[in-house]
Amino acid sequence: MSYAKVKQNQSSNEDAYKTTVARIERIHSQLANAPRGLRLKDKVCIITGVGSMKGIGRAAAIRFAHEGAKHLYLLDYDPTNLPNLEATIVEKYPDVKVTTLQADAADEKAISGLCNRALREEGRLDVFFANAGVPTRDHLDDISAENFMNTMRVNTLSCFLAIKYASLAMRKTDPSRGKETSGGSIILTASTAGLRSGAGPVDYSASKAAVNSLAQTSTYQLQKTDIRINSICPGLIETGMTTVTFEYARQRGTAGKIGQLNPLRRFGIPEEIANAAVFLASDDSSYVNGQNIAVDGGLSASLPVVPGKWA
């Protein structure tokens, strides 16, 4: 009876898509016009996976600058868009230092070197947002052992290295640079696919489930350090990684179905994930630790339910 009533109250896919577009435009406007914040004032931050012009990493970098970060170290494997990101931040937030680097987030030497560089140049490391990742789409039968291990390397090893070397740096104190005690926040980008089945291919889902486990288990290895580790689990977000899915739906005229499986009945945008990252990076989340936080419109809150298909 209750499901039938919900079904009656649902709008058509076309109307729902128009509503979604309007909501997304309002969110963009809200974020673009928000007053400057101080939630990350004086914090030295590293963000990986910032190269996509429509990515979570780029959105987070800009949002971190908006919240007063002191120095942003921004890393991506593809250097193409790094100059644009740096110029965008410097133009709008001239008080924020920006250092961009081309490197592999799953390269141990690169990550350890970057954390040490932050200590050398700023005397501290406060936030590490391990956002680098790679999407996959192959069926189980078509995933080679080599491809499976590459997915684990990019998506999971990169997070392990971030935890290992960022936590070492965050334990260093330097009273002369304002770092009196150990502490910091490490944020990992996981996925709803790492929480529930059916949200991604086998290799991708396994890699993100491992990221979620890292966030939970590493906290107990870092007891009494005041270093917090949490993962963000995005749902369907329109980014460079998902462009193919969105464009395919639009070409077929089925854009209205995008994101209709979650209770909000819409997809998300990178800025909404960036907001969650700011919360976890800031002292607002000082008692949040070892959590896998879903930002997915409610998709992972229940077993899969297909609108209009109830018995």
Side-chain angles (χ1 to χ4, degrees):
M1 293 288 290
S2 61
Y3 282 148
K5 187 172 183 179
V6 171
K7 181 180 178 181
Q8 289 175 0
N9 292 336
Q10 286 182 347
S11 57
S12 67
N13 285 334
E14 291 74 18
D15 290 340
Y17 186 65
K18 290 178 182 177
T19 301
T20 292
V21 172
R23 285 174 178 164
I24 296 300
E25 289 177 353
R26 286 198 299 271
I27 293 169
H28 273 302
S29 176
Q30 176 189 22
L31 297 175
N33 299 319
R36 188 80 187 273
L38 298 173
R39 297 166 77 187
L40 302 183
K41 181 177 172 54
D42 296 330
K43 292 188 183 294
V44 176
C45 313
I46 294 174
I47 307 176
T48 66
V50 299
S52 172
M53 293 295 288
K54 295 175 63 177
I56 291 170
R58 180 185 177 91
I62 294 172
R63 200 64 180 168
F64 278 29
H66 188 85
E67 291 293 337
K70 180 181 180 182
H71 195 155
L72 295 174
Y73 293 89
L74 308 175
L75 179 149
D76 201 272
Y77 186 75
D78 182 353
T80 305
N81 296 321
L82 292 180
N84 176 277
L85 176 57
E86 180 175 1
T88 298
I89 294 174
V90 170
E91 179 181 4
K92 192 169 184 180
Y93 308 105
D95 58 313
V96 178
K97 296 180 186 177
V98 180
T99 299
T100 59
L101 308 94
Q102 185 282 320
D104 182 354
D107 180 271
E108 185 169 17
K109 184 177 180 180
I111 298 304
S112 63
L114 181 54
C115 291
N116 286 331
R117 178 175 177 177
L119 288 179
R120 203 167 52 246
E121 294 178 351
E122 296 292 346
R124 60 191 297 157
L125 177 62
D126 302 291
V127 179
F128 195 122
F129 183 16
N131 174 67
V134 62
T136 64
R137 63 187 64 181
D138 290 338
H139 183 272
L140 173 64
D141 295 345
D142 302 317
I143 302 172
S144 67
E146 181 181 5
N147 287 342
F148 180 89
M149 292 308 296
N150 183 64
T151 302
M152 296 297 291
R153 177 184 180 277
V154 177
N155 291 351
T156 311
L157 177 61
S158 63
C159 289
F160 165 76
L161 294 174
I163 294 170
K164 179 176 180 177
Y165 290 103
S167 65
L168 286 171
M170 290 174 179
R171 277 175 273 179
K172 301 288 186 181
T173 59
D174 187 345
S176 67
R177 310 292 283 276
K179 187 67 180 286
E180 300 281 348
T181 61
S182 167
S185 176
I186 300 172
I187 309 160
L188 316 174
T189 296
S191 171
T192 301
L195 295 173
R196 299 283 190 274
S197 66
V202 170
D203 54 341
Y204 181 81
S205 299
S207 70
K208 294 302 187 177
V211 170
N212 284 330
S213 179
L214 283 171
Q216 293 177 332
T217 58
S218 297
T219 58
Y220 279 92
Q221 298 288 305
L222 295 169
Q223 295 181 59
K224 300 181 181 181
T225 63
D226 201 28
I227 296 172
R228 299 179 293 106
I229 307 174
N230 296 283
S231 66
I232 300 175
C233 302
L236 181 59
I237 310 297
E238 185 172 16
T239 68
M241 284 187 178
T242 60
T243 294
V244 173
T245 298
F246 280 79
E247 291 304 319
Y248 180 67
R250 287 164 181 153
Q251 290 171 8
R252 292 186 62 199
T254 58
K257 294 183 178 181
I258 299 175
Q260 293 297 293
L261 292 182
N262 69 60
L264 287 184
R265 300 197 71 198
R266 71 169 176 86
F267 58 90
I269 57 175
E271 288 81 359
E272 292 177 292
I273 308 303
N275 277 345
V278 167
F279 168 70
L280 292 174
S282 75
D283 295 338
D284 290 351
S285 60
S286 57
Y287 204 51
V288 180
N289 194 21
Q291 300 303 305
N292 309 137
I293 300 175
V295 186
D296 63 358
L299 179 63
S300 61
S302 176
L303 295 173
V305 174
V306 181
K309 299 297 184 181
W310 299 304

